[in-house]
């Protein structure tokens, strides 16, 4: 603030001259005698009011004498025009710049038209005979990624194209059996008996599912004891393979629903399978343990089953409205390339409903987009 402004401010505030102040501006005075203490001078209170006419207000400056009087009329204060700085374009952080752009139309490529354009969605040819079966293990050590749901619905979709399918429940929780409406805890013979009791016949464990062309070997909590018993078995990794070998000629596909771990039961499934389907939910936690699963698959391939390979990576629980889901699909595409299935299973409330109903979504809601997606996945599995 300039000196003329100080003088005007003091005059407007009705101030009096104080020793050491910058200016004195008095317009009129009204002296009011106040009671005084003995030996003191009377106190004079000065009131100020805005003058009717400008009054000369001498100003003392802080600079060296002599002092100069400022003009009575205060020049108008000019405010410099406000300059707006030019807009600066924000610079994205390096991590954002390096992120691979995701094309949502490609990430959610469950469209049959898009796969047909790529020549990767052929219509399955009818077959006149069955067998030998292609054994596929649905495997992921993380739970809640859609292994059981995909096993049920993929099996039903394959049967819809004239293939005979056997579903094998290799999880002691028996989720696959429960998802098909079968009370496995009430059964006397399950996959546990077939693997560890030589006297058990195949006819004792095969259970109809109510889906034409699909049969089931169920499991219940007894299988949890089977993993402990297998430790002392000779050639324990081949136990499931020996049990299923007589059934290979009767089916086109055998789908094994593995438990969410990389224990001995899962090793048995990988030993007798030709391919592994890895269901992965479109979220970050599903990606964290994939390298452990791939490492286990490579060890089984190198030491036990040279015919084993990753048949495909299946993206489940996809939500195209979120950037996170699209980023996960992009990372999977970078890591696995063409191994990732074109079909992507989106998140829907219909899947819990089918579990309660005890049937696949292909029969529960045949026209639902999720049912169409599993039919498209069946076509991909047959084509590969």
């Amino acid at each position: 603030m300039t000196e003329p402004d100080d003088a005007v401010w003091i005059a407007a505030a009705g101030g009096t001259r104080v020793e050491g102040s910058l200016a004195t501006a008095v317009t009129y005075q009204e002296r009011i005698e106040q009671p005084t203490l003995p030996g003191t001078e009377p106190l004079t209170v000065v009131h100020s009011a805005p003058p009717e006419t400008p009054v000369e207000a001498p100003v003392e400056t802080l600079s060296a004498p002599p002092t100069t009087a400022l003009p009575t009329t205060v020049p108008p204060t000019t405010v410099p025009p406000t300059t707006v700085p030019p807009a600066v374009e924000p610079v994205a952080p390096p991590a954002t710049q390096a992120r691979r752009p995701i094309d949502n139309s490609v990430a959610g490529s469950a469209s049959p038209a898009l796969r047909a354009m790529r020549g990767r969605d052929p219509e399955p040819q009818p077959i006149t005979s069955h067998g030998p079966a292609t054994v596929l293990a649905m495997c992921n050590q993380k739970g809640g990624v859609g292994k059981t749901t995909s096993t049920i619905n993929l099996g039903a979709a394959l049967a819809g194209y004239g293939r005979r399918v056997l579903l094998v429940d290799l999880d002691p929780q028996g989720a696959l059996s429960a998802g098909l409406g079968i009370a496995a805890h009430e059964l006397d013979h399950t996959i546990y008996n077939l693997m560890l009791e030589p006297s058990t016949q195949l006819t004792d464990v095969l259970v109809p599912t109510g889906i034409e062309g699909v049969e089931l070997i169920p499991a219940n909590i007894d299988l949890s004891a089977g993993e402990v018993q297998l430790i002392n078995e000779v050639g324990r990794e081949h136990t499931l393979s020996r049990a299923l070998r007589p059934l290979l000629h009767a089916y086109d596909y055998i789908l094994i629903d593995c438990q969410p771990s990389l224990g001995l039961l899962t090793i048995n499934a990988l030993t007798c399978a030709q391919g592994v389907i890895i269901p992965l939910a479109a979220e970050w936690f599903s990606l964290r343990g994939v390298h452990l699963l791939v490492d286990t698959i490579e060890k089984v391939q190198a030491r036990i089953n040279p015919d084993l390979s990753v048949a495909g990576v299946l993206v489940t629980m996809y939500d195209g409205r979120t950037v996170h889901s699209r980023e996960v699909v992009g990372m999977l595409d970078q890591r696995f390339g063409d191994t990732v299935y074109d079909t992507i299973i989106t998140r829907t409330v219909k899947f819990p409903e089918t579990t309660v109903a005890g049937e696949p979504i292909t029969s529960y809601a045949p026209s639902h987009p999720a049912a169409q997606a599993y039919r498209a996945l069946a076509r991909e599995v047959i084509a590969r």
Side-chain angles (χ1 to χ4, degrees), residues 135-162:
V135 182
L136 299 174
M138 287 282 185
C139 187
N140 193 330
Q141 78 272 21
K142 185 181 184 307
V145 297
K147 293 188 299 294
T148 302
T149 300
S150 297
T151 303
I152 294 173
N153 291 287
L154 176 58
L158 289 170
Y161 288 109

Side-chain angles (χ1 to χ4, degrees), residues 11 49 88 132 139 143 219 238 292 324:
V88 180
C139 187
H238 298 273
L292 295 176
H324 180 68

Side-chain angles (χ1 to χ4, degrees), residues 50-80:
E52 297 179 359
T53 59
V55 178
E56 184 175 351
V59 178
E60 293 178 3
T61 64
L62 297 177
S63 59
T67 60
T68 57
L70 294 174
T72 304
T73 306
V74 179
T77 304
T78 59
V79 180

Side-chain angles (χ1 to χ4, degrees), residues 121-320:
D121 191 27
E123 190 69 20
Q125 298 296 323
I127 56 176
T128 57
S129 61
H130 302 286
T134 299
V135 182
L136 299 174
M138 287 282 185
C139 187
N140 193 330
Q141 78 272 21
K142 185 181 184 307
V145 297
K147 293 188 299 294
T148 302
T149 300
S150 297
T151 303
I152 294 173
N153 291 287
L154 176 58
L158 289 170
Y161 288 109
R163 271 61 180 177
R164 291 198 64 187
V165 180
L166 174 65
L167 305 181
V168 178
D169 193 348
L170 204 62
D171 185 354
Q173 300 179 62
L176 180 64
S177 306
L180 290 169
I182 297 171
H185 62 279
E186 299 177 355
L187 299 177
D188 295 329
H189 297 88
T190 62
I191 187 66
Y192 165 79
N193 305 98
L194 185 64
M195 292 176 64
L196 296 172
E197 296 178 3
S199 60
T200 302
Q201 303 296 319
L202 292 173
T203 54
D204 297 334
V205 295
L206 287 174
V207 176
T209 61
I211 307 170
E212 185 178 357
V214 179
E215 291 182 297
L216 169 72
I217 298 180
N220 56 26
I221 195 62
D222 294 342
L223 189 59
S224 59
E227 192 161 14
V228 178
Q229 292 178 256
L230 284 173
I231 296 176
N232 298 321
E233 292 288 327
V234 177
R236 54 184 178 269
E237 296 89 356
H238 298 273
T239 304
L240 181 62
S241 179
R242 292 193 297 268
L244 296 181
R245 188 176 297 122
L247 296 171
L248 294 179
H249 70 282
Y251 298 93
D252 299 302
Y253 288 94
I254 296 178
L255 304 181
I256 305 174
D257 183 28
C258 301
Q259 64 177 346
S261 74
L262 297 178
L264 194 52
L265 290 176
T266 301
I267 298 301
N268 264 262
L270 297 178
T271 300
C272 71
Q274 287 106 5
V276 182
I277 296 178
I278 305 175
L280 275 175
E283 57 186 28
W284 170 248
F285 284 120
S286 292
L287 299 175
R288 296 181 67 242
V290 173
H291 68 284
L292 295 176
L293 175 59
V294 173
D295 183 61
T296 301
I297 293 172
E298 291 176 350
K299 288 181 179 179
V300 173
Q301 182 185 33
R303 304 175 186 179
I304 304 175
N305 182 12
D307 296 330
L308 182 65
S309 64
V310 177
V313 176
L314 175 63
V315 179
T316 62
M317 302 181 183
Y318 176 79
D319 189 349

